[in-house]
Amino acid sequence: MAPSAEPARAASPSRHIRSFVRREGRFTPAQQRAFAEHWSRYGLDADSDLAQAFARPVPCVLEIGFGNGEQLLWSAQHEPERNFIGIEVHRPGVGRLMNALAAHNVDNVRLYNHDAIEVLQHCIAPDSLAEARIYFPDPWPKKRQQKRRLIQPLFVELLGTRVAPGGRLHLATDWADYAAQMLTVLETSTAWRNTAALERFVPRPAWRIETHFEKRGRRLGHGVWDLVYERC
Ligand SMILES: C[S@@+](CC[C@H](N)C(=O)[O-])C[C@H]1O[C@@H](n2cnc3c(N)ncnc32)[C@H](O)[C@@H]1O
């Protein structure tokens, strides 16, 4: 299913980025149960009709690689006037978030358990998102691994076709050289305009919390860099 074949085809080389490894890690019985009990409420598949997925047609925010979903749960609770789509390949994280959403009876979130690049290409319609958020994407620190980083020119062009003009892209990382790469990629993209001055980072905005993952980075002495761009 492709909402629009044209932009997806134009950006199709980005599907070759393999930005993750399928490490299942510990998949607890409670996380496994979440798929049986809550997937029909929160889960989206390739053939799900996104237009019918939410009760209300309000602006939609996408979070890619939400990990254990701490931020996404907080966002959904603190921005109840928006819908949220989360994409994550790591099943334990998806299970954990579904349990938390159900426990708090949150209903403005839907989740894909799949590769974000394929979801963007085949399931998300052009100009349909108000915002995209990618927090602490895998840094792939070794030189030979850096081709696996998500934030690359073709990927941000693909994202640019899915976020509506005037919409926002928010990235954060705790790796200095990935922050520099993000800046270079976005400053050279014609789809995105820096909301700060040219080539500038922004302080952490109020809508992003400090997650467990970020706190661990800080304990290791890492800095944190936020970038907020607007779709041209
Ligand atoms: C370093 S973790 C950060 C998690 C979370 N955003 C946080 O700040 O705590 C990166 C996450 O992105 C997910 N990920 C990486 N590539 C992805 C892709 N192409 N599609 C969906 N999820 C992806 C990984 O499984 C991992 O959970």
Side-chain angles (χ1 to χ4, degrees):
M1 195 203 52
S4 163
E6 209 38 57
R9 223 182 7 250
S12 65
S14 60
R15 87 184 130 87
H16 298 300
I17 304 172
R18 178 77 175 179
S19 63
F20 58 91
V21 281
R22 280 204 194 273
R23 53 182 174 93
E24 204 66 327
R26 185 162 147 69
F27 192 21
T28 67
Q31 290 161 354
Q32 294 174 39
R33 259 195 325 275
F35 280 84
E37 293 173 3
H38 306 307
W39 184 255
S40 59
R41 178 175 181 187
Y42 294 114
L44 295 169
D45 298 300
D47 52 3
S48 298
D49 182 354
L50 253 186
Q52 301 296 319
F54 293 101
R56 304 161 310 158
V58 294
C60 191
V61 178
L62 172 70
E63 185 178 337
I64 293 175
F66 56 76
N68 67 18
E70 202 180 346
Q71 167 72 50
L72 191 46
L73 172 65
W74 193 89
S75 303
Q77 291 176 310
H78 289 79
E79 300 172 68
E81 73 291 355
R82 306 174 102 187
N83 289 331
F84 289 84
I85 297 173
I87 314 178
E88 173 56 63
V89 286
H90 189 51
R91 280 166 63 81
V94 177
R96 184 178 160 147
L97 177 57
M98 285 195 291
N99 281 334
L101 293 169
H104 292 89
N105 198 24
V106 173
D107 207 31
N108 57 337
V109 179
R110 296 292 180 271
L111 306 174
Y112 285 99
N113 182 202
H114 200 76
D115 180 352
I117 294 170
E118 291 182 3
V119 172
L120 279 167
Q121 288 176 329
H122 303 300
C123 307
I124 310 282
D127 293 347
S128 62
L129 301 171
E131 187 170 336
R133 299 173 176 176
I134 310 177
Y135 299 146
F136 304 94
D138 294 297
W140 296 109
K142 293 184 183 147
K143 198 90 199 139
R144 64 184 160 76
Q145 297 173 328
Q146 287 180 2
K147 57 179 181 301
R148 302 181 73 146
R149 286 180 170 174
L150 206 47
I151 309 305
Q152 300 190 33
L154 284 166
F155 178 73
V156 302
E157 294 314 311
L158 172 61
L159 263 182
T161 64
R162 272 39 187 164
V163 175
R168 197 158 63 189
L169 172 61
H170 181 190
L171 307 177
T173 182
D174 62 339
W175 283 81
D177 76 317
Y178 200 3
Q181 175 174 332
M182 289 175 176
L183 207 56
T184 304
V185 167
L186 282 159
E187 293 293 328
T188 47
S189 164
T190 53
W192 299 100
R193 176 175 43 236
N194 198 334
T195 61
L198 214 61
E199 298 189 21
R200 284 287 172 87
F201 300 104
V202 295
R204 174 165 59 86
W207 65 79
R208 186 175 75 71
I209 56 169
E210 201 180 33
T211 60
H212 170 78
F213 185 86
E214 178 176 1
K215 285 182 191 135
R216 197 186 62 180
R218 285 200 191 276
R219 277 201 302 279
L220 293 171
H222 297 183
V224 173
W225 294 269
D226 281 83
L227 302 87
V228 178
Y229 281 71
E230 185 183 289
R231 167 85 155 75
C232 300

